[in-house]
Amino acid sequence: MPACSCDNELKFDGVSRRYRAILWIVIGINAFMFLFETGASITADSMALRADALDFLGDSLTYGLTLLAIGHTLRWRAAAAMFKGITLLLMGLWVLGSTAWQVLILGVPDETIMGSVGLLAFAANATSVLLLLRYRDGDANVRSVWLCSRNDAIGNLAVILAAGAVYVTRTAWPDIAVAFGMALLFLHSAWLIIRQAGSEIQARPDAADYVS
């Protein structure tokens, strides 16, 4: 069942065998990349990689929540999306705080590890984005998955650029700047998800209680 953005129709709610299978694939990709990138971020001493690894973990957990929410009422699915939005908000705040702390240390990260891992992470997220492309206009629960995957791909490109800038400048500032930018992206997406979820939670009773 394709996503629908028509105002006079219910948005795609995830009730599709194909969509469930795609979600399992995307969850596996994110779980693997969290483990791999966490080790790489420690080795490279990179805040940008650390923020990206945390995002992979958050995505794995929230995509699992998306699977659980599929088939429930619109209000239940919207509540799940609200939880994911709040989680993304907390992640953004954590990255902001960690980045501010890193400013006091300013150790130069390993740009070779940053760049190579950034390329691998981008390939992983680009695959997820392509798999989820047709579902980007679903309800808040479904759309949150698309937004998170899109954010990850954008963040990976920024990490790759930061690795090049670290090599040129021999300072940690590009790494810190990217981590800060990723935190702002988390906060922006959190606001989009929370706003849509709040609107769906307050929807008229007949729509909010609809189950596909």
Side-chain angles (χ1 to χ4, degrees):
M1 179 177 178
C4 175
S5 58
C6 303
D7 292 336
N8 60 345
E9 296 181 16
L10 290 171
K11 292 179 179 290
F12 174 64
D13 58 4
V15 180
S16 161
R17 187 171 300 175
R18 181 177 184 274
Y19 182 68
R20 288 175 185 269
I22 287 174
L23 269 187
W24 277 115
I25 293 172
V26 173
I27 288 172
I29 290 173
N30 279 270
F32 170 78
M33 286 306 303
F34 162 67
L35 295 174
F36 182 82
E37 200 167 21
T38 295
S41 69
I42 295 172
T43 302
D45 192 25
S46 167
M47 274 304 302
L49 286 183
R50 204 162 300 163
D52 201 41
L54 178 64
D55 195 33
F56 274 120
L57 173 62
D59 288 349
S60 297
L61 297 176
T62 57
Y63 294 174
L65 183 59
T66 295
L67 275 173
L68 291 176
I70 290 174
H72 289 274
T73 65
L74 175 60
R75 186 163 294 167
W76 203 100
R77 298 193 310 271
M82 179 69 74
F83 177 80
K84 287 186 286 184
I86 293 173
T87 300
L88 192 60
L89 174 66
L90 294 176
M91 283 173 50
L93 293 175
W94 184 88
V95 173
L96 277 178
S98 299
T99 303
W101 171 254
Q102 188 71 11
V103 170
L104 302 176
I105 303 174
L106 285 180
V108 179
D110 188 315
E111 71 278 1
T112 301
I113 296 178
M114 280 183 65
S116 57
V117 174
L119 281 171
L120 178 61
F122 176 74
N125 282 312
T127 299
S128 299
V129 168
L130 291 175
L131 288 171
L132 295 164
L133 184 62
R134 66 182 299 189
Y135 304 108
R136 65 187 182 278
D137 294 322
D139 65 16
N141 189 46
V142 172
R143 186 172 182 239
S144 64
V145 176
W146 158 256
L147 285 173
C148 290
S149 297
R150 183 206 64 181
N151 288 354
D152 292 349
I154 294 172
N156 297 147
L157 289 176
V159 170
I160 294 170
L161 292 176
V166 168
Y167 174 77
V168 172
T169 64
R170 305 310 306 169
T171 70
W173 287 113
D175 179 61
I176 290 174
V178 167
F180 181 78
M182 290 174 67
L184 294 182
L185 188 60
F186 294 165
L187 295 177
H188 176 66
S189 292
W191 164 245
L192 292 178
I193 294 169
I194 291 172
R195 184 177 63 180
Q196 182 176 349
S199 176
E200 292 178 359
I201 288 174
Q202 297 174 9
R204 65 185 187 280
D206 58 321
D209 295 332
Y210 177 82
V211 181
S212 299

